[in-house]
Amino acid sequence: MLPDPASPLNALPQVANDPTAIPIGQGAVFLPAYTTGDREPPVTVLQDGGVVAEGQAGARVVLPPGDYDVRFGSGTFSQQVRVPVAIQEGRTTVLPPTWSGLVVGAATFNRTDQVGEQAGWDLGLSLFFDTTASFQRDAHQWITRLELEEEQSRPEDGEFTNEGDRLFLHTIYTYHLVPWFGPYLRVGLETKLLDRHQVFEQAQTVDELDRGGNVVKTHVDVDRVKLGGPFAPLILQQGAGGNFRLLRRRNVELDLRLGFGARQTLANDLLVYESVAGAADRLVPAEDASVLGPEGTVVGIGRLSRWVTITSEFDGLLPVSDDAAVFTWRNQAGLRLIRYVSINYRFNATRDPNLDVEDTIRTEHDVQLRFSYTLF
Protein backbone atom coordinates (compact mmCIF):
# COMPACT_ATOMS: atom_id res chain seq x y z
CA MET A 1 0.00 0.00 0.00
CA LEU A 2 1.66 3.22 -1.20
CA PRO A 3 0.96 6.65 0.37
CA ASP A 4 -1.72 8.61 -1.49
CA PRO A 5 -1.26 12.39 -1.08
CA ALA A 6 -4.90 12.99 -2.15
CA SER A 7 -6.46 10.47 0.25
CA PRO A 8 -8.95 11.88 2.79
CA LEU A 9 -7.22 9.62 5.33
CA ASN A 10 -4.38 12.14 5.47
CA ALA A 11 -6.81 14.70 6.93
CA LEU A 12 -7.81 12.48 9.86
CA PRO A 13 -7.58 14.44 13.14
CA GLN A 14 -5.56 11.58 14.63
CA VAL A 15 -2.90 12.01 11.94
CA ALA A 16 -2.79 15.79 12.31
CA ASN A 17 -2.60 15.59 16.10
CA ASP A 18 0.19 12.98 16.26
CA PRO A 19 3.42 14.79 17.29
CA THR A 20 5.75 11.98 16.09
CA ALA A 21 8.43 13.46 13.82
CA ILE A 22 9.73 11.65 10.72
CA PRO A 23 13.53 11.95 10.48
CA ILE A 24 15.25 12.61 7.15
CA GLY A 25 15.47 9.43 5.09
CA GLN A 26 12.62 7.73 6.97
CA GLY A 27 8.89 7.17 6.41
CA ALA A 28 6.05 6.06 8.68
CA VAL A 29 2.95 3.92 8.94
CA PHE A 30 -0.13 5.10 10.87
CA LEU A 31 -2.93 2.88 12.19
CA PRO A 32 -6.06 4.88 13.19
CA ALA A 33 -7.18 4.19 16.76
CA TYR A 34 -10.59 2.62 17.34
CA THR A 35 -10.88 4.03 20.87
CA THR A 36 -7.82 5.58 22.50
CA GLY A 37 -4.56 4.17 21.21
CA ASP A 38 -3.13 2.93 24.51
CA ARG A 39 -6.30 0.95 25.23
CA GLU A 40 -5.83 -1.16 22.11
CA PRO A 41 -3.58 -4.11 21.23
CA PRO A 42 -0.08 -3.10 20.02
CA VAL A 43 0.87 -2.62 16.37
CA THR A 44 3.67 -4.88 15.14
CA VAL A 45 5.68 -4.29 11.95
CA LEU A 46 7.46 -7.24 10.31
CA GLN A 47 9.89 -7.57 7.42
CA ASP A 48 10.99 -10.94 6.01
CA GLY A 49 9.22 -12.68 8.89
CA GLY A 50 11.02 -10.77 11.65
CA VAL A 51 9.74 -8.04 13.97
CA VAL A 52 11.38 -4.70 13.13
CA ALA A 53 9.22 -2.24 15.07
CA GLU A 54 6.31 -1.97 17.49
CA GLY A 55 3.95 0.86 18.27
CA GLN A 56 0.36 1.71 19.08
CA ALA A 57 -2.73 2.80 17.20
CA GLY A 58 -3.09 6.55 16.82
CA ALA A 59 0.66 7.21 16.53
CA ARG A 60 3.17 7.00 13.67
CA VAL A 61 5.58 4.09 13.56
CA VAL A 62 8.77 5.40 11.91
CA LEU A 63 10.46 3.01 9.45
CA PRO A 64 13.10 3.03 6.72
CA PRO A 65 11.67 2.95 3.16
CA GLY A 66 10.73 -0.57 2.08
CA ASP A 67 8.02 -3.25 2.09
CA TYR A 68 6.56 -4.44 5.38
CA ASP A 69 3.72 -6.41 6.95
CA VAL A 70 1.71 -4.65 9.65
CA ARG A 71 -0.16 -6.84 12.14
CA PHE A 72 -2.59 -5.73 14.83
CA GLY A 73 -5.47 -7.10 16.87
CA SER A 74 -5.90 -9.75 19.54
CA GLY A 75 -4.63 -13.32 19.56
CA THR A 76 -1.61 -14.87 17.89
CA PHE A 77 0.06 -13.49 14.74
CA SER A 78 -1.98 -15.89 12.61
CA GLN A 79 -5.22 -14.56 14.14
CA GLN A 80 -4.37 -10.87 13.81
CA VAL A 81 -5.23 -8.55 10.93
CA ARG A 82 -2.39 -8.42 8.36
CA VAL A 83 -1.87 -5.48 5.99
CA PRO A 84 1.10 -5.24 3.58
CA VAL A 85 2.48 -1.72 3.21
CA ALA A 86 5.16 0.06 1.18
CA ILE A 87 6.92 2.85 3.09
CA GLN A 88 8.26 5.86 1.17
CA GLU A 89 10.72 8.45 2.41
CA GLY A 90 9.16 11.50 4.02
CA ARG A 91 5.57 10.19 3.82
CA THR A 92 3.07 8.61 6.20
CA THR A 93 1.10 5.59 4.99
CA VAL A 94 -2.32 5.61 6.73
CA LEU A 95 -4.05 2.22 6.89
CA PRO A 96 -7.77 2.39 5.96
CA PRO A 97 -9.86 1.38 9.03
CA THR A 98 -11.74 -1.78 8.05
CA TRP A 99 -11.86 -3.54 11.44
CA SER A 100 -14.34 -3.63 14.31
CA GLY A 101 -14.32 -4.03 18.06
CA LEU A 102 -16.36 -5.32 20.97
CA VAL A 103 -16.65 -3.38 24.23
CA VAL A 104 -18.16 -5.35 27.19
CA GLY A 105 -18.64 -5.36 30.97
CA ALA A 106 -20.37 -1.99 31.82
CA ALA A 107 -22.12 -1.50 35.19
CA THR A 108 -24.59 1.38 35.21
CA PHE A 109 -26.56 3.45 37.67
CA ASN A 110 -29.25 4.94 35.50
CA ARG A 111 -31.99 7.55 35.61
CA THR A 112 -34.28 7.91 32.57
CA ASP A 113 -37.65 9.21 31.47
CA GLN A 114 -37.33 8.16 27.82
CA VAL A 115 -40.52 7.09 26.03
CA GLY A 116 -41.02 3.35 26.14
CA GLU A 117 -38.67 2.89 29.11
CA GLN A 118 -39.31 2.83 32.82
CA ALA A 119 -38.68 6.11 34.62
CA GLY A 120 -36.65 6.31 37.81
CA TRP A 121 -33.39 4.90 39.21
CA ASP A 122 -32.17 1.39 38.61
CA LEU A 123 -29.09 -0.82 38.63
CA GLY A 124 -28.07 -2.64 35.46
CA LEU A 125 -25.47 -4.47 33.43
CA SER A 126 -24.91 -3.54 29.80
CA LEU A 127 -23.38 -5.00 26.66
CA PHE A 128 -22.19 -2.64 23.91
CA PHE A 129 -21.17 -3.67 20.42
CA ASP A 130 -19.77 -1.10 18.00
CA THR A 131 -18.44 -1.74 14.53
CA THR A 132 -17.40 0.62 11.76
CA ALA A 133 -16.70 -0.07 8.09
CA SER A 134 -14.96 2.59 6.00
CA PHE A 135 -14.25 2.90 2.30
CA GLN A 136 -11.98 5.72 1.15
CA ARG A 137 -10.53 6.35 -2.28
CA ASP A 138 -9.39 9.69 -3.66
CA ALA A 139 -12.09 12.20 -2.69
CA HIS A 140 -14.69 9.52 -1.87
CA GLN A 141 -15.47 8.55 1.72
CA TRP A 142 -18.15 6.10 2.85
CA ILE A 143 -18.54 5.22 6.53
CA THR A 144 -21.09 2.81 8.02
CA ARG A 145 -21.54 2.46 11.76
CA LEU A 146 -23.51 -0.16 13.70
CA GLU A 147 -24.20 0.16 17.43
CA LEU A 148 -26.00 -2.38 19.60
CA GLU A 149 -26.70 -1.79 23.28
CA GLU A 150 -28.51 -4.23 25.53
CA GLU A 151 -29.09 -3.66 29.22
CA GLN A 152 -30.43 -5.88 31.97
CA SER A 153 -31.90 -3.59 34.61
CA ARG A 154 -33.05 -4.33 38.14
CA PRO A 155 -35.29 -1.78 39.87
CA GLU A 156 -35.10 -1.54 43.62
CA ASP A 157 -36.65 -4.66 45.20
CA GLY A 158 -37.46 -5.99 41.73
CA GLU A 159 -36.26 -8.52 39.19
CA PHE A 160 -33.88 -8.04 36.27
CA THR A 161 -35.70 -6.96 33.12
CA ASN A 162 -34.65 -5.77 29.67
CA GLU A 163 -33.95 -2.02 29.62
CA GLY A 164 -31.93 0.42 27.53
CA ASP A 165 -32.34 -1.66 24.37
CA ARG A 166 -31.01 0.11 21.26
CA LEU A 167 -29.99 -0.76 17.71
CA PHE A 168 -28.51 2.05 15.60
CA LEU A 169 -27.35 1.79 11.99
CA HIS A 170 -26.06 4.80 10.10
CA THR A 171 -24.22 5.16 6.79
CA ILE A 172 -22.92 8.40 5.27
CA TYR A 173 -21.16 9.12 1.97
CA THR A 174 -19.07 12.28 1.55
CA TYR A 175 -17.29 13.60 -1.53
CA HIS A 176 -14.43 15.85 -0.41
CA LEU A 177 -14.26 18.74 -2.86
CA VAL A 178 -11.61 20.30 -0.60
CA PRO A 179 -10.18 19.01 2.70
CA TRP A 180 -12.60 21.13 4.76
CA PHE A 181 -15.83 20.71 2.77
CA GLY A 182 -17.81 18.20 0.74
CA PRO A 183 -21.43 17.20 -0.02
CA TYR A 184 -22.91 14.26 1.90
CA LEU A 185 -25.70 11.71 1.63
CA ARG A 186 -26.84 9.72 4.65
CA VAL A 187 -29.43 7.16 5.71
CA GLY A 188 -29.98 5.52 9.06
CA LEU A 189 -32.34 3.72 11.37
CA GLU A 190 -32.78 3.36 15.11
CA THR A 191 -34.96 0.84 16.91
CA LYS A 192 -35.21 -1.62 19.80
CA LEU A 193 -35.03 -5.41 19.67
CA LEU A 194 -36.47 -6.68 22.97
CA ASP A 195 -39.71 -6.38 24.90
CA ARG A 196 -39.85 -3.58 27.46
CA HIS A 197 -42.12 -3.25 30.47
CA GLN A 198 -43.24 -0.72 33.03
CA VAL A 199 -42.56 -2.32 36.42
CA PHE A 200 -44.49 -1.35 39.57
CA GLU A 201 -43.37 -1.62 43.17
CA GLN A 202 -46.94 -2.59 44.09
CA ALA A 203 -49.67 -4.17 42.00
CA GLN A 204 -51.75 -1.61 40.10
CA THR A 205 -54.65 -1.40 37.70
CA VAL A 206 -53.82 0.13 34.32
CA ASP A 207 -56.19 1.08 31.48
CA GLU A 208 -55.01 0.58 27.90
CA LEU A 209 -56.47 3.11 25.44
CA ASP A 210 -56.88 3.16 21.69
CA ARG A 211 -56.01 6.13 19.47
CA GLY A 212 -59.46 7.62 20.11
CA GLY A 213 -58.95 7.65 23.87
CA ASN A 214 -61.30 4.72 24.53
CA VAL A 215 -60.43 2.00 27.03
CA VAL A 216 -59.86 -1.24 25.12
CA LYS A 217 -58.33 -3.31 27.93
CA THR A 218 -57.87 -3.08 31.68
CA HIS A 219 -54.89 -4.71 33.37
CA VAL A 220 -56.06 -5.49 36.92
CA ASP A 221 -53.60 -5.80 39.84
CA VAL A 222 -50.51 -6.28 37.70
CA ASP A 223 -46.88 -5.74 38.75
CA ARG A 224 -45.81 -4.77 35.22
CA VAL A 225 -47.26 -3.95 31.81
CA LYS A 226 -45.70 -4.26 28.37
CA LEU A 227 -44.73 -1.00 26.67
CA GLY A 228 -43.29 -2.24 23.40
CA GLY A 229 -41.84 -5.17 21.50
CA PRO A 230 -39.19 -5.61 18.80
CA PHE A 231 -38.87 -2.68 16.35
CA ALA A 232 -41.15 -0.47 18.47
CA PRO A 233 -40.51 2.19 17.50
CA LEU A 234 -38.65 2.08 14.20
CA ILE A 235 -37.15 5.45 13.22
CA LEU A 236 -35.83 5.94 9.68
CA GLN A 237 -33.64 8.89 8.63
CA GLN A 238 -32.45 10.30 5.32
CA GLY A 239 -30.51 13.46 4.58
CA ALA A 240 -28.29 15.30 2.09
CA GLY A 241 -26.26 18.50 2.22
CA GLY A 242 -22.78 19.83 2.99
CA ASN A 243 -20.21 18.63 5.52
CA PHE A 244 -17.88 21.27 7.01
CA ARG A 245 -14.73 20.60 9.04
CA LEU A 246 -14.71 23.81 11.09
CA LEU A 247 -11.91 23.19 13.56
CA ARG A 248 -9.00 20.78 13.82
CA ARG A 249 -6.71 21.26 16.79
CA ARG A 250 -4.79 18.89 18.99
CA ASN A 251 -7.32 19.10 21.81
CA VAL A 252 -10.46 20.33 20.03
CA GLU A 253 -12.42 19.18 16.95
CA LEU A 254 -15.62 20.65 15.51
CA ASP A 255 -17.69 19.49 12.55
CA LEU A 256 -20.91 20.85 11.05
CA ARG A 257 -23.39 19.29 8.61
CA LEU A 258 -26.16 21.36 7.04
CA GLY A 259 -28.72 19.97 4.60
CA PHE A 260 -32.27 18.77 4.02
CA GLY A 261 -33.59 15.62 5.67
CA ALA A 262 -36.59 13.44 6.38
CA ARG A 263 -37.60 11.16 9.25
CA GLN A 264 -40.26 8.50 9.46
CA THR A 265 -41.43 7.15 12.82
CA LEU A 266 -43.21 3.80 12.85
CA ALA A 267 -44.68 3.24 16.33
CA ASN A 268 -45.29 -0.50 15.79
CA ASP A 269 -47.72 -0.71 18.74
CA LEU A 270 -45.51 1.27 21.13
CA LEU A 271 -47.39 2.33 24.28
CA VAL A 272 -46.63 5.37 26.46
CA TYR A 273 -47.23 4.94 30.19
CA GLU A 274 -49.00 7.81 31.98
CA SER A 275 -49.66 8.21 35.67
CA VAL A 276 -53.06 9.81 36.34
CA ALA A 277 -53.82 11.38 39.74
CA GLY A 278 -57.05 10.12 41.28
CA ALA A 279 -57.69 7.54 38.55
CA ALA A 280 -56.25 4.39 37.03
CA ASP A 281 -52.96 4.84 35.23
CA ARG A 282 -53.10 4.36 31.49
CA LEU A 283 -51.25 3.21 28.40
CA VAL A 284 -51.59 5.50 25.38
CA PRO A 285 -50.54 4.36 21.87
CA ALA A 286 -47.86 6.34 20.07
CA GLU A 287 -48.61 7.31 16.46
CA ASP A 288 -46.77 6.91 13.18
CA ALA A 289 -45.41 10.14 11.73
CA SER A 290 -43.33 11.53 8.89
CA VAL A 291 -41.53 14.89 8.76
CA LEU A 292 -39.10 16.60 6.41
CA GLY A 293 -37.21 19.86 6.45
CA PRO A 294 -33.76 21.45 6.92
CA GLU A 295 -31.43 19.45 9.14
CA GLY A 296 -28.22 20.21 10.97
CA THR A 297 -25.65 18.29 12.97
CA VAL A 298 -22.88 19.68 15.17
CA VAL A 299 -20.20 17.34 16.53
CA GLY A 300 -17.58 18.50 19.03
CA ILE A 301 -14.75 16.66 20.77
CA GLY A 302 -12.65 18.10 23.58
CA ARG A 303 -9.59 16.39 25.07
CA LEU A 304 -8.90 18.05 28.40
CA SER A 305 -6.00 15.71 29.07
CA ARG A 306 -4.81 12.23 28.23
CA TRP A 307 -7.33 10.90 30.74
CA VAL A 308 -10.40 13.10 30.21
CA THR A 309 -12.44 13.35 27.00
CA ILE A 310 -15.73 15.16 26.38
CA THR A 311 -17.92 14.64 23.30
CA SER A 312 -21.13 16.37 22.26
CA GLU A 313 -23.36 15.79 19.24
CA PHE A 314 -26.51 17.73 18.40
CA ASP A 315 -28.63 16.40 15.53
CA GLY A 316 -31.85 18.26 14.66
CA LEU A 317 -34.49 18.70 11.99
CA LEU A 318 -36.95 21.60 11.57
CA PRO A 319 -40.08 20.36 9.73
CA VAL A 320 -41.45 22.51 6.92
CA SER A 321 -44.94 21.72 8.22
CA ASP A 322 -46.36 22.94 11.51
CA ASP A 323 -44.89 19.98 13.37
CA ALA A 324 -42.50 20.71 16.23
CA ALA A 325 -38.73 20.47 15.76
CA VAL A 326 -37.07 17.12 16.32
CA PHE A 327 -33.62 16.83 17.87
CA THR A 328 -31.26 14.51 19.70
CA TRP A 329 -28.45 15.84 21.88
CA ARG A 330 -25.88 13.30 23.06
CA ASN A 331 -23.12 14.16 25.54
CA GLN A 332 -20.47 12.05 27.20
CA ALA A 333 -17.59 12.74 29.60
CA GLY A 334 -15.06 9.98 30.13
CA LEU A 335 -12.44 9.61 32.86
CA ARG A 336 -10.00 6.78 32.15
CA LEU A 337 -8.80 5.14 35.35
CA ILE A 338 -6.43 2.56 33.92
CA ARG A 339 -5.84 1.11 30.47
CA TYR A 340 -9.09 -0.88 30.18
CA VAL A 341 -11.29 0.77 32.82
CA SER A 342 -13.03 4.12 32.71
CA ILE A 343 -15.91 5.99 34.30
CA ASN A 344 -18.30 7.54 31.76
CA TYR A 345 -21.11 9.96 32.37
CA ARG A 346 -23.70 10.34 29.62
CA PHE A 347 -26.47 12.88 29.30
CA ASN A 348 -28.89 12.58 26.38
CA ALA A 349 -31.85 14.79 25.53
CA THR A 350 -34.45 13.97 22.87
CA ARG A 351 -37.37 15.98 21.56
CA ASP A 352 -39.58 13.95 19.27
CA PRO A 353 -43.30 14.77 19.51
CA ASN A 354 -43.98 11.89 17.14
CA LEU A 355 -43.27 9.46 19.98
CA ASP A 356 -45.27 11.12 22.71
CA VAL A 357 -48.73 12.46 23.39
CA GLU A 358 -47.14 15.69 24.62
CA ASP A 359 -44.49 18.03 23.25
CA THR A 360 -41.79 17.35 25.84
CA ILE A 361 -38.04 16.88 26.05
CA ARG A 362 -36.99 13.46 27.27
CA THR A 363 -33.73 13.07 29.16
CA GLU A 364 -31.49 10.17 30.06
CA HIS A 365 -28.56 10.04 32.51
CA ASP A 366 -26.00 7.23 32.72
CA VAL A 367 -23.00 6.73 34.97
CA GLN A 368 -20.98 3.76 33.78
CA LEU A 369 -18.02 1.89 35.18
CA ARG A 370 -16.86 0.60 31.83
CA PHE A 371 -14.51 -2.30 31.13
CA SER A 372 -13.41 -2.51 27.50
CA TYR A 373 -11.37 -4.80 25.33
CA THR A 374 -10.84 -4.56 21.57
CA LEU A 375 -11.02 -7.85 19.72
CA PHE A 376 -10.12 -6.74 16.19
Side-chain angles (χ1 to χ4, degrees), residues 114-115 263 314-319 322-329 348-356 358-363:
Q114 290 282 2
V115 171
R263 298 189 184 188
F314 183 90
D315 183 10
L317 182 145
L318 184 63
D322 293 333
D323 295 314
V326 178
F327 71 79
T328 301
W329 186 28
N348 299 330
T350 302
R351 184 172 188 254
D352 191 349
N354 303 312
L355 287 179
D356 201 356
E358 297 179 356
D359 182 10
T360 58
I361 297 177
R362 300 286 177 170
T363 61

Side-chain angles (χ1 to χ4, degrees), residues 281-299:
D281 294 345
R282 60 188 186 181
L283 298 173
V284 180
E287 298 184 357
D288 295 347
S290 178
V291 295
L292 56 88
E295 68 173 8
T297 303
V298 180
V299 181

Side-chain angles (χ1 to χ4, degrees), residues 74-145:
S74 303
T76 64
F77 270 6
S78 62
Q79 296 173 318
Q80 294 177 355
V81 178
R82 171 185 174 272
V83 180
V85 297
I87 302 300
Q88 292 185 352
E89 180 181 352
R91 292 188 176 181
T92 299
T93 301
V94 183
L95 303 184
T98 56
W99 49 92
S100 63
L102 177 64
V103 181
V104 299
T108 67
F109 188 53
N110 179 62
R111 178 193 177 278
T112 180
D113 60 359
Q114 290 282 2
V115 171
E117 300 182 15
Q118 182 182 355
W121 294 97
D122 56 31
L123 174 67
L125 300 174
S126 300
L127 169 67
F128 304 87
F129 175 77
D130 300 302
T131 184
T132 301
S134 176
F135 171 82
Q136 298 185 354
R137 177 176 295 177
D138 300 326
H140 303 277
Q141 182 181 50
W142 183 21
I143 299 177
T144 299
R145 184 172 184 84

